[in-house]
Amino acid sequence: MRRFLSYIYIMCALPLVLGGCIREDDYDNSPVGNFEALWKLIDEHYCFLDYKGIDWDAVYDEYRPQISDGMGDEALFEVLGNMLAELRDGHVNLYSAWNTARYWDWYLDYPRNFDEALVEQYLGRDYRIGGGAEYTILQDNIGYVRYADFSSPVGDGNLDEMLLYLAVCNGLIVDVRNNGGGTLTTASKLAARFTNVKTLVGYIQHKTGPGHSDFSEPEPLYIEPSDGVRWQKPVVVLTNRHSYSATNDFANSMRCFPQVTLLGDRTGGGGGMPFSSELPNGWAVRFSASPTLDAQMQHIEGGIDPDVKLDMIDEDEARGRDTLIEAARALLGGQAD
C-alpha cells in the first residue's frame, strides 16, 4: 500500500494557494483502490466539472463496473484513461511506465493552419535566435518572430536585442502557432514587451473545498510593462488550435493591448492550471485544478477567438505561401509576396 500524495505540477509559474484542499488518503494498491483514488481525486480537485456540465457520479456508474480485482495493469490503464477522457481536457494525463493517456480531440478536428516548411522559408537562412525566439526582417520591412515553445526560456537581454534589431520595422508578426505551451513566466515576459501600462488580463481561482464549485474569490492577474525595450508599433499574433496552455494565456494577454490583432484560428484552450498527483500503484496523473478567467471573468478553457478568423488556403501552400503570414503582412501595411 502506498500513500496517495499530491503535489504542485512544476509548470505552474504563478503563485498558487492550495488552502489545504489536497489531503493525503490511503487506498489499496489494487485495481479497485486505484480506480477509487483517481475518481475521488478528480471529484474533489478537478476545476471544470460544473463549468463543462460533467456528471462525475454518472461517470463513476459507467466505469466502476469495468473494474475487477483480477484485471491486469494494461486493462486498468485503458479504463482509467477512458474515464479521464470524459473530462475533455488536454491538461489531463495518466502516466504509466509504458504509456501516457491523453486527450487530443481539442485540436484533432480543426484545420492545422501551420506548415513548418513554409515558416522555414520565411525565416530564411540568416535569421537570428535569442533564447526561444527566432526572428528576421521580411523583405517588406515587417518583423517576424517565431516562438515555437514557451518551455524554451528567453532572457531580458535576448528580448532587448531582438526588439532593437526589429525597431526599423513598420510592424511585427508574432507567430505562436503550434506552440503547445510551457512556462507562464516566459509567456508573460514576452507579453510585457507590448504594453506601457499595468494591464489587467484576467483572474485566477483556487479550490477551497471538495465541492465542485468550492473556489476562492477571483484574484486579478496583471501584465506589468517591462523595464527593457518595449514595442510601440502594430502587432499581429498568429494562432491556431495547437496554441495551447501557456500560449493560450499569452494570446489572452496580448488581446488586451490596443495595438495587437489576433489572426488565425481559435487557440486550443487549456485555461486550467495543472497539478500532478500519484495513485497507489505509482502512476502519475495530471489534472486542471485552478481555473483562469479573462478580464471579463469568462473562462478561457475553451480557447481565445481571433480578431480575424483565417485558415490556410491549399492553393497558397502549393505556391509556397503561408496564408496567415501573408494576411498579417497586409494588415501591417507590408507587401505580400
Side-chain angles (χ1 to χ4, degrees), residues 87 174 243 249 277 287:
L87 300 174
V174 180
S243 304
D249 284 84
S277 189
F287 60 97

Side-chain angles (χ1 to χ4, degrees), residues 229-294:
V229 178
R230 297 194 295 271
W231 184 263
Q232 306 295 319
K233 301 174 186 178
V235 182
V236 175
V237 177
L238 304 184
T239 61
N240 67 352
R241 283 296 289 183
H242 281 73
S243 304
Y244 190 73
S245 191
T247 312
N248 191 61
D249 284 84
F250 176 75
N252 178 60
S253 296
M254 292 293 284
R255 67 173 173 167
C256 295
F257 308 145
Q259 81 280 21
V260 175
T261 300
L262 302 188
L263 185 151
D265 203 353
R266 171 183 277 203
T267 60
M273 296 291 288
F275 280 27
S276 288
S277 189
E278 185 178 300
L279 299 184
N281 63 2
W283 293 348
V285 57
R286 183 176 75 151
F287 60 97
S288 299
S290 297
T292 304
L293 315 175
D294 65 16

Side-chain angles (χ1 to χ4, degrees), residues 22-42:
I22 294 185
R23 303 188 307 270
E24 297 180 0
D25 293 322
D26 288 327
Y27 293 93
D28 290 333
N29 183 11
S30 66
V32 172
N34 283 287
F35 174 87
E36 294 287 348
L38 179 59
W39 185 89
K40 185 176 181 183
L41 174 70
I42 298 301

